[in-house]
């Protein structure tokens, strides 16, 4: 089975607009070229298994929540089904799109690009060959369009522009409203909003001004075109179509100053009020806004990270709070008006704020700079990451949320590790410290330092969790500390170059250290002489890793080779030439080709799989390679990204980007953009003149296999990517006979031959069928079935129980199965402990998660019972003597059983 992309952690928001789903419980957030859905009710996050070619610039969500249009920076669009989580249609708009919005009835959608607005028929309402059919093109604004809003009945829509005007267009050709232009602002229009069931309009501009526009006509007062005019237009359109191969969309040309004759008997707007947000005079750009029509709530975000809540139309200030020190790039309000989502692209922050209770529903932030290292907890439930921003973050793999961030380091974190207990996280940093963090109390309880300040480049902790080792990149020494006392036990000298990697043997107290001096040294921690062996390499050594059973050592060197060693006898057992498998891309400013550049490239991170049969390798490339260790062949290459917004993605440079003066990439296009430098005029002080546009380079900094053997993770430029085995959709039989069919299994089950039915179900290997058979076994028969089960199927049943625990509600029933299997077959399983370790850890992870959930519930129930009893005593009621102890014992026994 091949692992599939299953999730993106470590990055929660990049750029683009946030959107709440129809029920208001989930939030769609663009993360680079992917889309993540945050389920705020169930506290889970899911990244859809699809991607655009470049970073997503805007997202349009259909009113029923089943479809989404994702448009990237160059205008390439994907029509996505959020139910099937797949791409339905691809379309290219040819130019960057600023915004996209579905009509409330779901029949049309508007796209704005350049100074035009395009009205399309929405896909999905009827079967059509082309999902994107252009209906009308609207001309009017002189500069780029910025925002869209629809009336509640989908009759009209408004478009804001950078030329400081707002245009109201009719979605149909109304006799009294074809187009209308509104001025009144002195800066770019950031947002425009219609009032509920009305043509009245609010417009918000970048200089923090709000205009209130009143219309002299209600929505019901819009008159359809007279039949004569409509017939004439239809005939003219048909004549045009005869000349063209395909029907041409209708064009509506708006004028900023129409003649008096053109405005006669037409809808008229008047400005009722104009309000300013910055009354104190602290000039601050308004960057985002959202309006909730039912509650008349206006939310505005500013470049300094402050947001305001106002009640319209009276402009009463409800809240003014600062949530970040970076510009707020996007705001969205859910359907009930309770939750407000904010996205800050500068720091990659995503916040959901409940304004009435003034509390956070969600507060997530990725690493500000790139992630450098990661480590799995022993049960595979958590992942710890370290970044160049000096932060250490711990993520929950099942919910994909970060639940604790440690900020004690003053410089970039170079390595992280979990101890064998899973409750202590260690991190090494360039600030000269190794810190230990407690995951019970969330505090830094140990800080290890060297006698002379050293920059630590790598870290290792032994299997007991007692010895901590860190390698220095400037003094070429390895420092050994005691976790218990925090004392420096020893300094290992001998290397003649910076220490690049450290790894402890999982089965013995032996440390392997790799260095740029072309050697790998093995140190015995229990021997006073320390150095046990020195392995000589042909090139500088970059990374070293022990196999989980401790019998083999893998070494990756600068020449692109991975070599395997029997470290007991200091004999090389095999090698893999991996340089060409990396398949480097060519950077935009590279002078040499990717093929030539690949000669100097190598793997910078290695990791064995949980069973030790495979090895993962990654480096400065968009590929992660999975090799079979025994056969020394490439099994699979994972392409971790298809995002061309990153550098070094393409093997060959595009000739169209090359001019006689050099590459077009040398020209900084950041000036004048939303985040770039505003084009300076005489006397105007504005924008950051030091701003430069750059493309991050694609690279894999660290790969790790999950101890359960079901998934692996990689820290990349994109974020923390998770790949896992999804065996639900694959037919994978095991020792299948011609007689084994679903009907024969059901027949055996009806005859109460449970052991035989389980064996047959495992031969067919259909998950739902196995579940049906196991759940049909009475709990009283579990003991008998377990004792008569062949050894070969015990392991398979344990693996099934571990995966069933994650989703099933039959907690006690599956616990009885696991308990009986381990009690009856424990001794035999112990002999195959190395092979079975991933399965046992997978089972432990599932049970531990349920234990935490149920124990919290038990503690809460005990507290409630005590509280109820205390209240009843206060009221003078007689307390039954035997009631409390019984209840507490019963609740405690539930908790103990899970233990």
């Amino acid at each position: 089975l091949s692992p599939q992309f299953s999730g993106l952690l470590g990055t929660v928001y990049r750029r683009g607009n946030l959107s709440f789903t129809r029920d208001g419980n989930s939030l769609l957030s663009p993360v680079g070229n992917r889309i993540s859905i945050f389920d705020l009710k169930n506290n889970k996050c899911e990244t859809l298994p699809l991607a655009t070619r470049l970073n997503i610039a805007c997202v349009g969500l259909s009113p029923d929540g089943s479809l989404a249009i994702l448009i990237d920076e160059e205008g390439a669009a994907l029509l996505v089904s959020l139910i099937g989580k797949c791409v339905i249609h691809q379309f290219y708009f040819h130019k960057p799109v600023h915004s996209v919005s579905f009509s409330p009835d779901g029949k049309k959608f508007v796209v704005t690009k350049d100074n035009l607005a395009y009205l399309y028929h929405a896909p999905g309402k009827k079967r059509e060959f082309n999902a994107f059919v252009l209906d009308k093109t609207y001309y009017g604004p002189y500069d780029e369009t910025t925002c869209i809003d629809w009336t509640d009945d989908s009759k009209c829509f408004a478009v804001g522009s950078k030329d400081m005007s707002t245009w109201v267009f009719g979605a149909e050709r109304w006799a009294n409203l074809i187009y209308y232009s509104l001025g009144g602002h002195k800066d770019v229009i950031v947002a425009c909003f219609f009032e509920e069931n009305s043509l009245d309009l609010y417009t918000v501009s970048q200089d923090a001004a709000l205009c209130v526009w009143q219309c002299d006509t209600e929505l019901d007062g819009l008159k359809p075109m007279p039949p004569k005019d409509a017939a004439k237009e239809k005939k003219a359109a048909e004549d045009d179509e005869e000349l063209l191969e395909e029907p041409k969309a209708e064009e509506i040309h708006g004028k900023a100053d129409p003649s008096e004759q053109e405005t006669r008997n037409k809808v008229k707007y008047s400005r009722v009020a104009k309000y300013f947000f910055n009354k104190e005079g602290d000039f601050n750009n308004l960057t985002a806004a959202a309006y909730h029509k039912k509650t008349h709530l206006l939310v505005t975000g500013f470049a300094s990270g402050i947001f305001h809540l106002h009640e319209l139309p009276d402009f009463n200030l409800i809240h003014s709070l600062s949530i970040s020190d970076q510009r707020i790039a996007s705001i969205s309000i859910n359907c009930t008006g309770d939750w407000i989502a904010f996205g800050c692209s500068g720091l990659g922050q995503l916040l959901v704020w409940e304004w009435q209770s003034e509390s956070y529903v969600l507060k997530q932030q990725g690493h500000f700079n790139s992630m450098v290292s990661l480590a799995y907890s022993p049960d595979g439930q958590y992942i710890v990451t370290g970044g160049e921003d000096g932060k250490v973050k711990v993520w929950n793999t099942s919910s994909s949320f970060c639940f604790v961030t440690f900020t004690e380091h003053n410089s970039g974190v170079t390595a992280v590790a979990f101890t064998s207990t899973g409750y202590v996280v260690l991190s090494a940093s360039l600030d000269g410290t190794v810190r230990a963090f407690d995951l019970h109390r969330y505090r830094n309880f140990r800080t290890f330092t060297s006698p002379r300040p050293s920059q630590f480049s790598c870290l290792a902790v032994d299997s007991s969790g007692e010895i901590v080792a860190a390698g220095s990149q400037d003094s070429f020494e390895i420092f050994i500390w005691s976790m218990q006392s925090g004392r420096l036990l020893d300094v290992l000298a001998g290397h003649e170059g910076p220490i690049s990697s450290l790894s402890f043997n999982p089965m013995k107290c032996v440390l392997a250290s790799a260095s740029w001096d072309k050697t790998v040294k093995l140190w015995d921690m229990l021997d006073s002489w320390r150095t046990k062996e020195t392995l000589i390499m042909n090139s500088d050594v970059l990374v070293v890793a022990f196999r989980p059973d401790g019998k083999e050592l893998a070494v990756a060197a600068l020449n692109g080779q991975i070599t395997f060693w029997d470290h007991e006898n200091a004999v090389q057992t095999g090698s893999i030439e991996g340089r060409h498998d990396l398949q480097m891309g060519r950077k935009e400013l590279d002078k040499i080709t990717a093929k030539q550049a690949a000669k100097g490239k190598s793997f910078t991170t290695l990791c064995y799989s949980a069973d030790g049969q495979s090895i993962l390798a990654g480096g400065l490339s968009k590929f992660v390679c999975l090799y079979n260790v025994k056969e020394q062949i490439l099994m699979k290459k994972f392409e971790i990204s298809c995002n061309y917004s990153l550098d070094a993605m393409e093997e060959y440079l595009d000739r169209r980007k090359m001019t006689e003066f050099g590459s077009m990439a040398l020209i900084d296009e950041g000036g004048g953009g939303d985040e770039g430098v505003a084009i300076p005029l005489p006397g105007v002080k504005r924008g950051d003149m030091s701003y430069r546009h750059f493309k991050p380079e694609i690279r894999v900094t660290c790969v790790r296999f999950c101890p359960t053997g079901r998934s692996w993770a990689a820290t990349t430029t994109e974020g923390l990517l998770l790949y896992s085995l999804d065996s639900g959709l694959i037919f994978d039989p095991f020792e299948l006979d011609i007689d084994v069919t679903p009907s024969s299994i059901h027949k055996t089950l009806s005859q109460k031959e449970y052991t035989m039915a389980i064996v047959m179900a495992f031969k067919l290997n259909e998950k739902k069928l196995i579940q049906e058979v196991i759940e049909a076994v009475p709990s009283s028969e579990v003991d008998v079935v377990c004792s008569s089960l062949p050894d070969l199927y015990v392991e398979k049943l344990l693996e099934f129980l571990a995966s069933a625990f994650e989703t099933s509600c039959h907690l006690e029933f599956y616990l009885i199965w696991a308990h009986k299997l381990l009690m009856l077959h424990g001794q035999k399983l112990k002999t195959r402990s190395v092979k079975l370790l991933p399965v046992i850890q997978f089972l432990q992870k599932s049970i531990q998660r349920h234990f935490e959930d149920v124990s919290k519930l038990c503690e809460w129930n005990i507290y409630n019972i005590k509280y109820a009893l205390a209240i009843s005593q206060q009221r003078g009621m007689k307390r039954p003597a035997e009631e409390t102890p019984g209840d507490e014992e019963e609740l405690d026994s539930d908790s103990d059983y899970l233990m």
Side-chain angles (χ1 to χ4, degrees):
L1 293 176
S2 172
Q4 304 294 321
F5 173 79
S6 66
L8 172 66
L9 285 73
T11 318
V12 287
Y13 174 75
R14 286 270 174 84
R15 60 165 291 192
N17 58 306
L18 300 168
S19 310
F20 273 101
T21 53
R22 188 186 181 187
D23 59 5
N25 295 335
S26 297
L27 179 69
L28 269 75
S29 171
V31 184
N33 67 333
R34 297 182 186 272
I35 196 104
S36 291
I37 302 173
F38 293 88
D39 184 345
L40 303 172
K41 278 276 190 233
N42 301 316
N43 199 37
K44 281 196 171 177
C45 169
E46 180 190 15
T47 306
L48 298 187
L50 46 94
T52 54
R53 196 170 173 273
L54 297 162
N55 286 336
I56 294 170
C58 54
V59 178
L61 191 63
S62 67
D64 61 0
S66 61
L67 296 174
I69 297 174
L70 315 179
I71 306 176
D72 71 18
E73 291 165 336
E74 283 187 356
L78 295 181
L79 177 66
V80 172
S81 165
L82 295 178
I83 298 163
K85 294 167 188 170
C86 59
V87 176
I88 299 170
H89 184 67
Q90 295 183 355
F91 190 79
Y92 189 41
F93 287 108
H94 297 287
K95 283 187 179 175
V97 171
H98 303 107
S99 50
V100 57
S101 177
F102 275 89
S103 62
D105 62 7
K107 290 180 181 176
K108 305 274 178 78
F109 69 88
V110 174
V111 165
T112 60
K113 63 175 186 182
D114 286 345
N115 61 335
L116 307 177
Y118 296 88
L119 182 69
Y120 285 86
H121 290 286
K125 294 295 170 190
K126 59 181 190 292
R127 290 189 177 186
E128 65 257 306
F129 176 69
N130 183 9
F132 286 46
V133 180
L134 183 61
D135 184 24
K136 294 182 182 70
T137 306
Y138 296 88
Y139 294 80
Y142 292 109
D143 204 343
E144 289 180 6
T145 44
T146 55
C147 55
I148 309 164
D149 192 52
W150 283 87
T151 54
D152 286 348
D153 60 0
S154 307
K155 287 182 177 178
C156 303
F157 63 91
V159 173
S161 168
K162 285 187 179 177
D163 68 359
M164 302 177 280
S165 66
T166 307
W167 291 74
V168 181
F169 292 111
E172 304 295 331
R173 284 196 71 126
W174 305 110
N176 53 346
L177 176 60
I178 298 171
Y179 62 87
Y180 199 99
S181 173
L182 302 166
H185 283 284
K186 295 178 181 176
D187 209 336
V188 173
I189 306 294
V190 173
C192 53
F193 309 106
F194 280 106
E195 190 53 273
E196 189 181 15
N197 296 318
S198 167
L199 279 168
D200 294 351
L201 194 66
Y202 300 109
T203 55
V204 183
S205 64
Q206 197 171 296
D207 60 354
L210 167 76
C211 285
V212 183
W213 303 91
Q214 193 172 32
C215 186
D216 63 353
T217 311
E218 292 299 314
L219 280 170
D220 300 338
L222 291 175
K223 301 167 193 166
M225 275 284 219
K228 285 180 186 174
D229 296 356
K232 273 183 195 173
E233 287 197 4
K234 193 175 180 183
K235 191 170 185 295
E238 281 173 2
D239 292 343
D240 287 347
E241 278 175 32
E242 285 173 14
L243 301 170
L244 295 164
E245 288 181 16
E246 56 180 71
K248 192 182 173 188
E250 189 183 345
E251 291 185 357
I252 293 169
H253 293 265
K255 296 176 186 173
D257 50 348
S259 64
E260 196 177 316
Q261 190 180 347
E262 285 176 312
T263 57
R264 196 177 297 145
N265 301 325
K266 295 280 198 295
V267 165
K268 285 188 174 62
Y269 275 92
S270 56
R271 194 173 77 188
V272 183
K274 187 171 184 179
Y275 301 105
F276 295 93
F277 291 88
N278 300 301
K279 289 175 184 172
E280 297 82 18
D282 55 333
F283 184 79
N284 195 350
N285 275 2
L286 189 147
T287 54
Y291 180 62
H292 191 256
K293 295 180 182 182
K294 287 188 176 67
T295 54
H296 305 286
L297 184 75
L298 177 71
V299 187
T300 47
F302 294 84
S304 61
I306 293 169
F307 75 92
H308 294 328
L309 264 69
H310 284 88
E311 190 179 19
L312 295 182
D314 301 327
F315 201 66
N316 298 327
L317 183 67
I318 301 168
H319 276 324
S320 180
L321 292 162
S322 175
I323 53 162
S324 175
D325 55 0
Q326 296 280 328
R327 69 188 286 273
I328 296 171
S330 178
I331 300 176
S332 182
I333 309 176
N334 77 338
C335 56
T336 59
D338 296 329
W339 293 348
I340 305 163
F342 299 96
C344 303
S345 54
L347 291 174
Q349 287 174 311
L350 182 64
L351 310 151
V352 179
W353 172 262
E354 189 172 56
W355 67 274
Q356 285 161 324
S357 65
E358 296 190 27
S359 59
Y360 285 110
V361 177
L362 173 76
K363 190 180 183 184
Q364 291 285 302
Q365 182 182 342
H367 286 279
F368 177 58
N369 289 340
S370 57
M371 285 184 228
V372 175
S373 59
L374 83 124
Y376 268 101
S377 63
D379 60 1
Q381 204 169 342
Y382 306 120
I383 291 177
V384 61
T385 58
E388 287 178 358
D389 56 358
K391 287 179 182 171
V392 175
K393 288 177 174 282
V394 188
W395 307 81
N396 187 319
T397 53
S398 52
S399 71
S400 300
F401 283 129
C402 169
F403 61 90
V404 63
T405 303
F406 299 108
T407 56
E408 278 79 1
H409 284 296
N410 301 323
S411 189
V413 175
T414 52
V416 286
F418 264 101
T419 58
S420 52
T421 60
Y423 295 115
V424 175
V425 168
L426 288 152
S427 63
S429 169
L430 296 174
D431 65 3
T433 62
V434 172
R435 294 178 186 269
F437 303 98
D438 178 6
L439 288 188
H440 281 306
R441 295 182 182 82
Y442 300 142
R443 64 191 180 97
N444 174 205
F445 70 95
R446 284 269 185 281
T447 303
F448 308 103
T449 54
S450 54
R452 291 190 312 278
S454 295
Q455 291 189 317
F456 296 122
S457 57
C458 49
L459 173 74
V461 59
D462 79 327
S463 53
S464 67
E466 288 299 312
I467 299 173
V468 180
S472 162
Q473 66 179 29
D474 42 14
S475 66
F476 314 158
E477 293 167 330
I478 301 161
F479 298 89
I480 310 291
W481 295 276
S482 161
M483 175 71 86
Q484 206 74 37
S485 62
R487 281 177 46 234
L488 181 68
L489 299 177
D490 205 349
V491 179
L492 306 178
H495 279 296
E496 295 167 9
I499 315 295
S500 54
S501 179
L502 294 175
S503 180
F504 267 105
N505 188 325
M507 298 301 164
K508 294 177 184 173
C509 210
V510 172
L511 175 71
S513 64
S515 170
W516 293 8
D517 63 3
K518 303 183 183 181
T519 63
V520 172
K521 288 186 186 289
L522 297 162
W523 314 80
D524 190 343
M525 293 292 112
L526 305 176
D527 181 14
S528 57
W529 294 102
R530 295 285 187 250
T531 312
K532 192 180 172 193
E533 197 72 60
T534 302
L535 309 176
I536 308 295
M537 303 291 159
N538 297 329
S539 185
D540 296 9
V541 186
L542 301 179
V543 61
V544 64
F546 272 105
R547 202 166 70 185
D549 63 2
K551 291 179 181 173
E552 189 177 74
L553 185 70
V555 178
L558 194 62
N559 58 6
Q561 269 193 344
I562 302 171
T563 51
F564 301 98
W565 295 77
D566 172 5
H567 60 91
E568 291 289 326
N569 305 313
V571 175
Q572 185 178 331
T573 56
S575 71
I576 294 170
E577 191 67 53
R579 189 190 302 141
H580 300 295
D581 298 329
L582 259 174
Q583 208 171 324
M584 293 288 303
R586 183 173 177 180
K587 287 190 275 186
E588 287 184 334
L589 301 177
D590 273 356
K591 296 284 187 284
I592 57 170
T593 62
K595 199 173 179 182
Q596 288 295 326
K599 290 179 181 175
K601 301 300 178 190
S602 52
F603 293 115
T604 54
T605 175
L606 284 181
C607 181
Y608 273 100
S609 61
D611 57 8
Q613 292 177 8
S614 312
I615 194 162
L616 266 179
L620 305 182
S621 152
K622 63 177 176 178
F623 290 104
V624 171
C625 301
L626 182 67
Y627 293 100
N628 183 303
V629 176
K630 194 177 176 185
E631 303 293 336
Q632 294 171 13
I633 55 167
L634 178 69
M635 290 163 64
K636 188 170 173 66
K637 265 166 85 168
F638 297 93
E639 188 174 3
I640 54 156
S641 177
C642 58
N643 188 357
Y644 286 87
S645 295
L646 301 172
D647 206 357
M649 283 292 294
E650 295 178 273
E651 198 172 339
Y652 302 102
L653 288 184
D654 192 342
R655 284 176 182 269
R656 288 172 294 182
K657 291 181 183 173
M658 298 303 289
T659 66
E660 57 183 305
F661 306 109
S663 172
M664 294 281 281
L666 289 164
I667 301 165
D668 187 17
E669 294 176 0
D674 292 342
E675 296 154 21
V677 185
I679 296 163
L681 297 169
V684 176
K685 290 181 181 176
R686 193 168 158 198
D688 178 9
M689 298 306 289
S690 66
Y691 178 84
R692 290 293 174 271
H693 176 75
F694 72 97
K695 286 172 87 169
E697 186 186 341
I698 184 73
R699 60 175 61 189
V700 179
T701 47
C702 187
V703 290
R704 289 289 178 268
F705 248 103
C706 180
T708 63
R710 303 287 302 170
S711 61
W712 61 269
T715 50
T716 69
T717 316
E718 287 273 80
L720 174 61
L721 301 176
L722 254 63
Y723 286 79
S724 68
L725 289 169
D726 181 18
S727 53
L729 304 171
I730 299 165
F731 177 61
D732 184 28
F734 175 73
E735 295 186 354
L736 190 62
D737 298 331
I738 197 163
D739 304 327
V740 179
T741 61
S743 55
S744 65
I745 293 169
H746 286 123
K747 191 179 175 183
T748 311
L749 197 60
S750 63
Q751 293 166 357
K752 297 190 177 180
E753 294 179 19
Y754 300 119
T755 309
M756 191 64 193
I758 288 171
V759 170
M760 287 168 77
F762 273 114
K763 281 184 176 180
L764 203 59
N765 214 358
E766 281 281 338
K767 194 173 178 182
K768 283 187 178 176
L769 194 62
I770 297 168
Q771 190 172 342
E772 187 186 334
V773 171
I774 285 174
E775 288 178 5
V777 178
S779 55
S780 56
E781 296 283 322
V782 171
D783 203 348
V784 180
V785 173
C786 285
S787 58
S788 60
L789 201 66
D791 292 347
L792 191 61
Y793 293 93
V794 171
E795 185 185 330
K796 288 197 161 291
L797 185 52
L798 274 174
E799 197 171 338
F800 170 78
L801 290 174
S803 62
F805 257 118
E806 293 198 312
T807 52
S808 178
C809 54
H810 305 299
L811 194 54
E812 188 182 2
F813 180 70
Y814 280 119
L815 278 168
I816 292 167
W817 271 102
H819 184 242
K820 296 292 180 192
L821 273 176
L822 293 171
M823 290 299 285
L824 291 164
H825 299 275
Q827 288 302 319
K828 288 178 185 174
L829 292 173
K830 232 175 189 177
T831 58
R832 303 203 308 278
S833 61
V834 175
K835 193 183 174 189
L836 282 172
L837 190 64
V839 177
I840 300 294
Q841 283 176 328
F842 189 25
L843 186 67
Q844 184 194 354
K845 173 190 172 182
S846 304
I847 295 174
Q848 180 68 27
R849 198 163 60 83
H850 282 297
F851 169 69
E852 285 169 6
D853 293 345
V854 176
S855 58
K856 276 180 195 169
L857 190 66
C858 291
E859 285 166 15
W860 181 244
N861 288 346
I862 291 167
Y863 166 74
N864 280 344
I865 290 166
K866 284 181 178 175
Y867 178 72
L869 286 167
I871 294 290
S872 65
Q873 280 177 336
Q874 278 179 3
R875 290 181 179 171
M877 289 170 67
K878 195 173 179 184
R879 178 188 169 193
E882 66 282 344
E883 200 173 280
T884 322
D887 286 337
E888 287 197 28
E889 279 170 28
E890 194 181 322
L891 289 164
D892 282 340
S893 68
D894 283 354
S895 182
D896 290 342
Y897 191 67
L898 272 164
M899 282 291 276

